[in-house]
Amino acid sequence: MSGSRSISLRRAEPSALSEWRAALRHEPGSVRFDLSLSENPFPPLPSVLDAVQRTLSRANRYPEFLPHRLPRLIAEHLGVRTDQVVVGSGATGVALQIMQTLTRRGDEMVFATPTFDGYPILADMAGLKSVAVPLDSRGRQDLVALGRAVGDRTGLVTVCRPHNPTGTVISASELKAFLFGIPRDVPVILDEAYVEFLGATDILDAAELIARYPNVLVLRTFSKAYGLAGMRIGYAFGHPDLVRRVRRLQLPFGVPESAVVAVAASYAARMELGERVLRITTERELLRTTLRRSGIRVPRSRANFLYLPGADVAAKLARAGIAAKTFPDGSARIAVGDRAADAAVRRALGESPMHGERRRLTGEDSGLCALTVPSDPGEGGAVEDI
């Protein structure tokens, strides 16, 4: 396929699973701050914790055989029909359901590289061939090249907004033009795991989008902004026919009551959530400004992490006891928001300019070092869940 590059991955069986687990382990005392998984540094909101705590007295009872309350709750919040929502074990679990129900073994899955580690791994589990398209020099998904990579063997396309790991955002007009050119029989995952961190001008009308493009499934999670990563609550929404097919693999008793209660309480705590998101994004911008002044060409992120390009960035962080999501070219992605951790990153990277020379940077979007090496989940850095 022109404009695309394939990555050959081993089957995601016991040996690969062992590698993932090993990547998540650190030597005792070797890590002061673990910023590798783009986690929210804060615990769930107090009102959410209180609500979940009250469900523990009923933990001896099974939840609903198949989830009805949670899809209805999410649908009401989004302004869509209940039959347009499917829930699962984090966005990762829902993504796997999508792959297993909407594609056939041997199909191709098209996505940008680097991307969320889970996509090439899950594709391999589902028997799909990964077609990875490099980002452009600014760390953005190259939608033109992604479109060219779609062909007769394409079974699924994934676009992230904001993108993981760079945090960049494609415009609404670019996205719609891209979707217009994708055949309607090719499903598209629009990954919005970090949508809560977007500014008001960047937010899409997702309900309008899925009405116009019935092959699109919008994927979201409560793991990031809501701080519920350990509870594994994810969902997708789209056209009822598409959702009905994905629901075929809905795990019985798979959504605990605590998940329903946590989501309801999270929606009710909108003001507190907004304050927390503001706190995280403010810390993100302060850290980005410091690092750019030190010569690191950090792209503008619209998520709760920063992508730090540079051949020696990952090594410097490791020497300072900071665990990051690392890439074979020496770059890294770090979660932000914890002031102590952010200060440690400044000390590790911001005290002296990169390559021994302070460069004056002009313009907020002047780009970043070229991303020429795709991320390898088996090299340097933990595999995260969304």
Side-chain angles (χ1 to χ4, degrees):
M1 286 189 162
S2 66
S4 67
R5 176 170 57 180
S6 298
I7 296 178
S8 177
L9 296 172
R10 291 189 299 273
R11 291 287 303 150
E13 291 173 346
S15 61
L17 289 169
S18 298
E19 291 178 11
W20 306 346
R21 286 192 289 264
L24 288 168
R25 288 196 297 267
H26 307 293
E27 291 298 323
S30 66
V31 174
R32 296 169 55 224
F33 299 101
D34 189 348
L35 309 181
S36 60
L37 298 179
S38 66
E39 294 165 320
N40 191 318
F42 306 110
L45 297 167
S47 58
V48 177
L49 281 176
D50 290 343
V52 171
Q53 184 70 27
R54 291 193 293 271
T55 69
L56 298 182
S57 63
R58 301 186 294 277
N60 58 308
R61 301 295 184 183
Y62 282 102
E64 294 176 300
F65 181 73
L66 291 177
H68 297 288
R69 294 168 59 200
L70 185 57
R72 183 168 63 248
L73 181 63
I74 293 172
E76 290 173 354
H77 180 79
L78 296 174
V80 299
R81 289 163 35 186
T82 302
D83 63 355
Q84 292 182 269
V85 177
V86 57
V87 298
S89 179
T92 306
V94 179
L96 183 57
Q97 287 178 229
I98 292 171
M99 294 178 197
Q100 291 175 324
T101 55
L102 301 186
T103 67
R104 296 170 297 182
R105 297 186 70 84
D107 283 353
E108 294 179 340
M109 179 175 172
V110 177
F111 51 80
T113 186
T115 189
F116 164 54
D117 286 340
Y119 286 128
I121 293 168
L122 295 176
D124 193 57
M125 292 173 65
L128 304 179
K129 178 183 178 183
S130 293
V131 177
V133 178
L135 303 178
D136 66 21
S137 61
R138 294 181 295 163
R140 288 162 41 91
Q141 294 159 106
D142 188 338
L143 296 187
V144 173
L146 281 170
R148 291 196 190 111
V150 175
D152 294 339
R153 297 178 60 189
T154 304
L156 185 64
V157 178
T158 298
V159 176
C160 298
R161 193 176 187 273
H163 183 63
N164 179 5
T166 61
T168 54
V169 177
I170 52 179
S171 70
S173 58
E174 288 177 297
L175 176 64
K176 291 176 181 178
F178 170 75
L179 294 175
F180 182 80
I182 301 298
R184 291 295 179 266
D185 61 343
V186 176
V188 178
I189 294 177
L190 176 60
D191 183 333
E192 290 193 335
Y194 302 91
V195 66
E196 291 83 8
F197 295 99
L198 289 176
T201 58
D202 288 322
I203 295 176
L204 290 169
D205 184 340
E208 184 273 334
L209 191 75
I210 61 174
R212 183 174 179 181
Y213 302 100
N215 57 325
V216 172
L217 284 166
V218 181
L219 185 66
R220 292 183 180 176
T221 180
F222 287 87
S223 295
K224 304 304 181 181
Y226 292 98
L228 298 174
M231 296 192 69
R232 313 308 303 130
I233 311 170
Y235 64 96
F237 57 102
H239 192 278
D241 291 342
L242 216 53
V243 169
R244 188 178 304 113
R245 293 166 61 188
V246 179
R247 280 183 171 181
R248 294 202 314 255
L249 289 186
Q250 191 77 65
L251 181 67
F253 301 120
V255 178
E257 182 185 359
S258 58
V260 181
V261 170
V263 169
S266 294
Y267 283 157
R270 187 173 68 173
M271 294 298 293
E272 294 93 326
L273 177 69
E275 292 170 359
R276 180 162 289 181
V277 167
L278 179 60
R279 181 176 176 182
I280 292 172
T281 54
T282 298
E283 290 295 322
R284 180 195 69 202
E285 292 308 302
L286 290 172
L287 179 58
R288 177 176 181 265
T289 298
T290 298
L291 296 178
R292 284 179 64 86
R293 286 174 177 169
S294 299
I296 305 176
R297 304 185 72 183
V298 186
R300 179 175 291 283
S301 172
R302 300 301 201 281
N304 67 332
F305 55 77
L306 289 174
Y307 178 81
L308 312 179
D312 55 356
V313 168
K316 286 184 176 182
L317 292 173
R319 286 195 294 270
I322 301 169
K325 166 58 191 172
T326 62
F327 299 87
D329 64 356
S331 301
R333 187 206 64 198
I334 57 168
V336 298
D338 183 324
R339 288 186 178 179
D342 291 349
V345 172
R346 288 189 184 94
R347 288 192 295 271
L349 302 177
E351 296 296 335
S352 59
M354 295 290 291
H355 311 301
E357 176 184 4
R358 182 174 296 276
R359 294 178 294 173
R360 181 177 180 83
L361 297 177
T362 58
E364 283 301 311
D365 293 302
S366 56
L368 69 156
C369 298
L371 295 163
T372 58
V373 183
S375 172
D376 181 353
E379 293 185 46
V383 175
E384 88 239 50
D385 275 323
I386 61 173

